Amino acid sequence: MNMMDRALRCVKQVFPDFNLMWLGEETRRNLPIELDFTMEVKNCEEASANLKCFSWVKLPKVYHKYSTDRVLVMEYFEGGQVNDKSYFKEHSINFNRVSRLLGKLFSEMIFVHGFVHCDPHPGNILVRWRPKKQTSLLQKVWSFFSKDFGEDLELVLLDHGLYRRLTKEFRYNYAGLWQAIINTDVKDMEKYARAIGGGDLYPILVTIVTGRAWKVVGQDGIKKVKFSKQEDDAIRSGVGGFLPDISQVLSNVPSDMLLVLKTNDHLRGLEYAYGVRGHASGFLDMSRCCLRALRDLKLEMAPSSQRNIIFRIQCHLRLLVDLAKISLYELFLWIREFSVAKSKSEQKSLKETFQDATVCESNNSFSGEVFV
């Protein structure tokens, strides 16, 4: 760690515009935690309790009898790594579904519970089909009304050594920032990005958080514009000119933000690899978690004099209305995608029919010429 600190100080002297001392501070704070397996046990058990609402999320059981602060014995799970394309192909797994489940999982962690797995690289997430078992009629009815309706995939979350407990203030501002991003509300983007530490460089922070160009985020809206190679090339070509600003933003934001950004980058890398980045369904799931978090945090953070029954009812009703709007918009997207898919199918069928007719005419002409 001392060597790392000295190296970062040398970088700062040679390149004064780049402040990377925060990297050494974060590593010094987190490394001892990751090496203490008793902390990993506590993290795993708390995360299991938080995520029990999702039956498709599996965390390994800890065998306390055989575990110490230097030895950890846990349940063994089979499955394919979340970036293993050959496993997905072999087992007929659609990454669009996996991507949406990952979004739900980490939105629940970040916005609702504020207890976040901060190292979700591909080796720490397994995917598998849920083992089939007989279910009673009552269980089927329950699954219909639960969050697990129609879900037969499972995600296995491993390596619980590094978690971060987010402060209520950070969760409120971060949820507000994402809600503003999803709604293309530039005024609120500035408000919440400044509150997190973006300052006058808040557009840079918003771009880092979303991984999208500011023009798309601030004008067109990430829900409406799919991530494209042109946008990716524009970001890559322009990032060099903003490196000092990016370094400044990262040194100003709280440590909570740094670990959340690390989590975001892991998930974004998977989406990019499978070509599903920026799909609207993921933003809708995130928006639901943001709204729930904002409702709960408003109730918790409001002065006791305001937390009367009328205030609570207003918060609950506002949440129900907003969730209903999201569900209606999701239904609209589903109908539109279904119509597009149906139109493409009809066009393909018409094209094949036309080609068959052309071949038939050609054959008839050819046969006629030979006969003559």
Side-chain angles (χ1 to χ4, degrees):
M1 285 307 307
N2 292 333
M3 290 177 61
M4 184 176 183
D5 287 341
R6 285 196 290 270
L8 290 172
R9 281 195 289 269
C10 289
V11 171
K12 189 175 181 180
Q13 289 179 352
V14 177
F15 304 101
D17 290 337
F18 295 91
N19 182 10
L20 299 177
M21 295 306 297
W22 57 268
L23 183 59
E25 294 169 3
E26 281 299 305
T27 305
R28 185 179 291 276
R29 182 184 299 114
N30 294 322
L31 191 59
I33 297 174
E34 290 198 72
L35 295 177
D36 183 356
F37 288 156
T38 59
M39 289 299 300
E40 181 162 353
V41 171
K42 293 177 181 177
N43 292 340
C44 185
E45 292 179 342
E46 183 173 348
S48 296
N50 291 344
L51 299 171
K52 62 184 179 182
C53 57
F54 297 134
S55 67
W56 45 265
V57 177
K58 298 297 179 184
L59 281 74
K61 176 183 176 182
V62 177
Y63 295 97
H64 294 272
K65 181 179 178 180
Y66 308 105
S67 300
T68 68
D69 60 339
R70 301 299 298 274
V71 177
L72 183 57
V73 182
M74 308 179 80
E75 180 181 7
Y76 176 76
F77 279 105
E78 293 185 347
Q81 289 189 8
V82 76
N83 66 339
D84 188 344
K85 293 185 178 181
S86 61
Y87 181 88
F88 277 47
K89 185 176 181 180
E90 181 183 349
H91 292 83
S92 302
I93 296 175
N94 185 342
F95 188 78
N96 281 287
R97 291 177 63 189
V98 176
S99 175
R100 187 161 186 180
L101 292 180
L102 285 170
K104 287 182 178 181
L105 168 60
F106 282 94
S107 292
E108 186 82 12
M109 280 187 163
I110 293 171
F111 299 112
V112 179
H113 298 289
F115 190 63
V116 188
H117 188 302
C118 291
D119 197 19
H121 62 75
N124 285 340
I125 305 174
L126 303 181
V127 184
R128 65 180 191 171
W129 288 111
R130 181 180 297 186
K132 291 185 178 181
K133 58 182 180 180
Q134 290 186 344
T135 56
S136 66
L137 178 62
L138 183 62
Q139 288 174 322
K140 290 179 179 178
V141 172
W142 169 252
S143 69
F144 183 85
F145 292 102
S146 72
K147 298 178 181 180
D148 303 320
F149 173 59
E151 193 46 65
D152 47 8
L153 284 173
E154 282 185 342
L155 299 183
V156 181
L157 195 58
L158 306 174
D159 189 0
H160 303 274
L162 183 59
Y163 270 70
R164 175 56 62 94
R165 194 178 304 280
L166 308 177
T167 65
K168 289 181 181 179
E169 181 182 5
F170 173 79
R171 284 169 56 205
Y172 181 81
N173 289 324
Y174 190 62
L177 175 61
W178 262 111
Q179 198 60 23
I181 290 169
I182 292 169
N183 294 330
T184 323
D185 186 337
V186 177
K187 186 176 179 180
D188 273 358
M189 282 187 220
E190 179 179 357
K191 171 187 170 183
Y192 290 111
R194 286 182 179 275
I196 292 174
D200 292 336
L201 297 173
Y202 71 89
I204 298 289
L205 178 58
V206 172
T207 302
I208 293 173
V209 167
T210 59
R212 304 292 300 270
W214 172 248
K215 179 183 177 182
V216 173
V217 179
Q219 296 181 20
D220 305 317
I222 57 175
K223 282 195 305 186
K224 299 177 181 178
V225 181
K226 288 187 176 181
F227 187 76
S228 64
K229 186 178 184 303
Q230 290 77 12
E231 183 182 351
D232 186 38
D233 291 341
I235 293 172
R236 290 175 183 273
S237 62
V239 71
F242 292 100
L243 283 178
D245 293 333
I246 294 172
S247 175
Q248 183 63 41
V249 168
L250 294 178
S251 65
N252 289 341
V253 298
S255 57
D256 286 358
M257 188 66 178
L258 297 175
L259 286 177
V260 168
L261 289 175
K262 178 184 175 184
T263 300
N264 286 351
D265 286 343
H266 282 312
L267 299 178
R268 193 175 294 140
L270 290 171
E271 291 178 347
Y272 183 82
Y274 283 93
V276 297
R277 188 172 165 192
H279 196 275
S281 60
F283 296 127
L284 296 178
D285 291 330
M286 182 185 292
S287 186
R288 288 187 176 99
C289 284
C290 288
L291 289 169
R292 287 167 54 205
L294 289 170
R295 186 274 311 270
D296 294 342
L297 291 168
K298 280 179 182 178
L299 289 172
E300 290 179 28
M301 298 169 65
S304 56
S305 58
Q306 292 183 11
R307 278 182 282 177
N308 52 43
I309 187 66
I310 296 176
F311 177 72
R312 291 176 180 277
I313 291 174
Q314 287 176 339
C315 288
H316 289 306
L317 288 177
R318 190 176 298 116
L319 174 64
L320 291 174
V321 170
D322 289 339
L323 291 177
K325 289 179 180 177
I326 292 175
S327 296
L328 288 173
Y329 182 66
E330 190 171 32
L331 178 62
F332 162 74
L333 291 178
W334 182 85
I335 293 173
R336 187 177 68 177
E337 289 183 3
F338 178 79
S339 300
V340 171
K342 186 178 180 182
S343 176
K344 287 182 178 178
S345 177
E346 290 175 348
Q347 289 177 5
K348 183 179 179 182
S349 177
L350 185 63
K351 184 178 180 181
E352 289 174 351
T353 303
F354 176 76
Q355 288 176 340
D356 290 342
T358 304
V359 170
C360 185
E361 288 179 10
S362 176
N363 289 338
N364 289 339
S365 300
F366 179 74
S367 300
E369 289 172 3
V370 171
F371 183 78
V372 172

